[in-house]
Amino acid sequence: NAGVMQNPRHLVRRRGQEARLRCSPMKGHSHVYWYRQLPEEGLKFMVYLQKENIIDESGMPKERFSAEFPKEGPSILRIQQVVRGDSAAYFCASSGTGSHNSPLHFGNGTRLTVT
Amino acid sequence: GQNIDQPTEMTATEGAIVQINCTYQTSGFNGLFWYQQHAGEAPTFLSYNVLDGLEEKGRFSSFLSRSKGYSYLLLKELQMKDSASYLCAVRAAVLKDSNYQLIWGAGTKLIIKP
């Protein structure tokens, strides 16, 4: 079952380290979205990518955060110099098209804890 | 601004019916989604509405009124496995060039009791 795969499932980093979160979309999907979720809160949009292109990064913090979706390999969300406030669940979702009625398929998320 | 409101928590009894409401105020509207999310797991797609009316899918139905900025998710014949958070998401224009994004409610935690 080639669903959306995220790894690692859990990631612990000390303040100041880098966190790299990986997402492989569903087979055949070329649209990838990253979301952040705090406990008891809704999903907050971060970035929308297609292969090799960032389409919308309006939800990404201007500093320390970056995302890519290379021609080959998974999408990567990179957080440099992590701080305690970065602790959250980060979900990746993919869709086959960017159509307005195309549902998103989510991975199981990466839970980042910054100590 | 963009705003989506859902009750924080609801409780219902196994075998009963429950209605989870969602109201929204967004700039532009291009569809409303309902997702189910069990604790510690990924959200999973339940339904999509873009026109007014009721969409039925087995035990779950979703209703939309665009003029009222209102939707509900109706769950029938509740089972213990339906205990989860239910997320309402609206596709709305958030940028000047009308690029659409999904705006998410905080979710309604549904607790099913025997």
Side-chain angles (χ1 to χ4, degrees):
Chain A
N1 181 15
V4 178
M5 303 299 294
Q6 286 188 253
N7 67 82
R9 189 75 190 268
H10 298 277
L11 182 62
V12 179
R13 285 287 178 267
R14 290 199 182 95
R15 279 182 298 169
Q17 290 185 319
E18 178 180 286
R20 292 171 73 89
L21 289 61
R22 295 174 186 78
C23 170
S24 296
M26 279 185 74
K27 190 176 181 181
H29 283 190
S30 59
H31 299 252
V32 166
Y33 305 77
W34 284 94
Y35 288 88
R36 170 188 161 111
Q37 187 178 38
L38 292 170
E40 311 302 323
E41 293 190 13
L43 293 161
K44 298 287 190 242
F45 169 79
M46 297 183 75
V47 63
Y48 164 35
L49 310 104
Q50 292 182 34
K51 281 287 186 182
E52 300 185 274
N53 289 308
I54 297 175
I55 306 302
D56 181 354
E57 56 181 349
S58 59
M60 287 273 275
K62 296 287 184 254
E63 298 177 351
R64 302 190 297 109
F65 284 71
S66 62
E68 62 177 10
F69 188 16
K71 187 177 180 181
E72 302 291 338
S75 176
I76 305 288
L77 179 68
R78 183 180 175 207
I79 311 172
Q80 295 177 290
Q81 299 172 337
V82 295
V83 301
R84 288 220 173 101
D86 296 333
S87 295
Y90 292 84
F91 286 96
C92 168
S94 72
S95 68
T97 73
S99 172
H100 63 88
N101 63 348
S102 182
L104 300 181
H105 298 265
F106 284 83
N108 283 327
T110 294
R111 277 134 192 93
L112 173 66
T113 302
V114 179
T115 60
Chain B
Q2 319 281 6
N3 194 45
I4 297 182
D5 287 315
Q6 304 179 237
T8 303
E9 187 174 297
M10 298 181 71
T11 304
T13 305
E14 191 178 13
I17 298 173
V18 71
Q19 177 175 311
I20 302 174
N21 295 326
C22 170
T23 57
Y24 62 89
Q25 292 145 348
T26 58
S27 52
F29 175 85
N30 203 6
L32 185 145
F33 294 81
W34 283 96
Y35 281 78
Q36 180 191 61
Q37 186 178 24
H38 286 99
E41 296 184 12
T44 55
F45 170 75
L46 290 178
S47 68
Y48 171 75
N49 296 70
V50 67
L51 299 176
D52 290 350
L54 189 68
E55 295 280 342
E56 295 186 80
K57 195 185 289 186
R59 292 189 301 114
F60 293 6
S61 303
S62 57
F63 171 83
L64 175 68
S65 168
R66 289 171 296 171
S67 62
K68 295 181 180 178
Y70 168 69
S71 172
Y72 67 71
L73 181 70
L74 191 71
L75 292 76
K76 303 175 186 176
E77 301 168 16
L78 287 170
Q79 302 174 8
M80 297 303 292
K81 68 178 182 179
D82 297 330
S83 290
S85 287
Y86 291 85
L87 310 176
C88 172
V90 172
R91 196 177 292 278
V94 291
L95 299 175
K96 290 181 182 178
D97 62 359
S98 295
N99 185 32
Y100 284 91
Q101 280 184 17
L102 272 181
I103 309 298
W104 294 80
T108 298
K109 184 177 181 180
L110 178 63
I111 300 167
I112 309 297
K113 295 185 175 179

